[in-house]
Amino acid sequence: MTEWPYGTGFSFTPRDTFEVLSKYFKLVDDYETKEGIHIFLFDETVFRSLTGKTLCEVAVYTLLSRNTSFAPIEITGFKDNSSTEILKLITEKGITPEWIRRNMFDFEIESIGNASSWLLELLCSDLERGYAGWVNSFDTTAVRLREEHKQQKSYADKLNQGKENPFDLEGIIDIEASPIALTHDSKGRLYVLDSSGKIYQIEGLTITKEWKPEFDYNTIEVLSRNEVSIEIEAQPSIAVEKDILFLTTGYDIQRHDLNAKSREESDSTSLISLRGVLAKSARVSSRELLFHNVVLKEGNVLASVSQGFTHFIFQITEDGEKLVYNGEYPIHPISRSLDDITLRLGIFKAGLYLPKSTGLSLYTSEGPKEMLGEYINPEHPYSSIKPITKFSFGDDFLVAIVELKGSERPLLCTFFPEYQTAEPNTYESHNPPESLVKNCQCIQPERFKLGYGMHLPKFTGSMAVRASLSGYQNKFALSDSFFNKVMVYSKII
């Protein structure tokens, strides 16, 4: 590899780009004097000879730097030194978006870290279109991601203060299409809904059952693709118990019997629409309701619904439905494609948790109680948590995708409960109303304390919006919609 010739001086070609491309391409004779502009000679034969994974990495660098790093066509002899021709060469090598998603989970550009997959997402978009629609923004995107990764790594190191990650990646499960919703049942089986409308049952790391219920597939596909929309803020969610599936699609909440043998049986006995009855309970127009989330616990079905800037939570039982909560919609200004304002719900030791204007709150008879109060204190260095809309609970932890003050990108954070005394059952605490969870007198923690913050495993714009979490006992699962995978993490005992 050729030594970096520009010292600490300015170069149009970033150093990491130079170090990668110099492994594979010749340099012009006077490259030392050119300040990194038009210094490489593109060689199609070399490009074609690379293995698939290396080709993708080099292709990203080539596209990133083609406007500055490669010499003009008359010098290189390359018939058309354009990004479209480079994409054509990649396609001829047999590299497709599907191949990248299947094989490139470990792909990583060192200087950009886990955000390397964002560039792969752009590369896949270009391959699907057949031309480089993003190439003009590649340079600025790479520079921004490189700087953000450096800052994020420093931020996470300060946040964790040398602590070890309490969770380890147990395994990765491949899903046929983009996984868009996760849930565990009471036996610990994981269920996944993908963008094609297929449901998977997973035990351990093995897919044991698959279903294709009679969903409105078009709605699910639109919702799974949607990143930010005022009209459709909610991503789909699912809850499963004893092969009964509840699904929210943004426009409705549905109930399906996964064991129904025919379309007729499913339509007539296993699908119910609650839009009308819930609208009547909330005294609002049914056309204005947006269904966000559904959870099952101890025979209870709880649904999160919004109308404009108002947030409703309904409890649904065999006797009907009732309004449990009516409050402020914890919305923050939508300024980026990374924002997700789905109103998810969670259950921890029979307590109902919901996102509020800051952090996360426990529902009590006196009103919502903020459970991350330390982190919204202006004197705390990691204050100003945005409303947490991606979270789930295990037996003794909270896992959430969190944006903290000073963090360039969301972090995957674990929190642990803290009680007033060493013996939590020796004092009275806020219990959820008896009607919410049956036959349970569990004591709630005084707060949750931040334990560890880590990078999202493969960070892309779509992952920040579409990722789904589900915890059970000492494990949790995280979906990656770009790579079509579900990652299972286990607590280190």
Side-chain angles (χ1 to χ4, degrees), residues 107-149:
F107 179 93
E108 188 163 297
I109 299 172
E110 185 176 352
S111 69
I112 303 179
N114 66 332
S116 306
S117 46
W118 200 323
L119 297 182
L120 276 187
E121 190 172 40
L122 301 183
L123 178 60
C124 283
S125 296
D126 287 344
L127 289 170
E128 288 169 343
R129 284 191 299 259
Y131 66 91
W134 285 86
V135 71
N136 291 329
S137 66
F138 263 178
D139 287 302
T140 54
T141 299
V143 170
R144 176 174 58 81
L145 292 177
R146 187 177 293 114
E147 185 60 29
E148 285 184 0
H149 173 65

Side-chain angles (χ1 to χ4, degrees), residues 149-205:
H149 173 65
K150 187 188 304 181
Q151 294 177 7
Q152 190 80 346
K153 187 177 185 304
S154 174
Y155 179 91
D157 289 344
K158 291 178 182 177
L159 177 70
N160 296 321
Q161 298 179 337
K163 291 182 290 189
E164 294 292 328
N165 190 342
F167 287 86
D168 197 17
L169 180 63
E170 180 179 328
I172 301 169
I173 304 163
D174 289 304
I175 304 298
E176 291 180 20
S178 176
I180 56 177
L182 304 178
T183 190
H184 283 88
D185 68 8
S186 61
K187 297 183 181 297
R189 292 174 295 204
L190 177 64
Y191 293 82
V192 180
L193 167 67
D194 74 15
S195 57
S196 74
K198 182 177 286 189
I199 297 287
Y200 305 81
Q201 182 190 87
I202 298 169
E203 299 184 57
L205 298 174

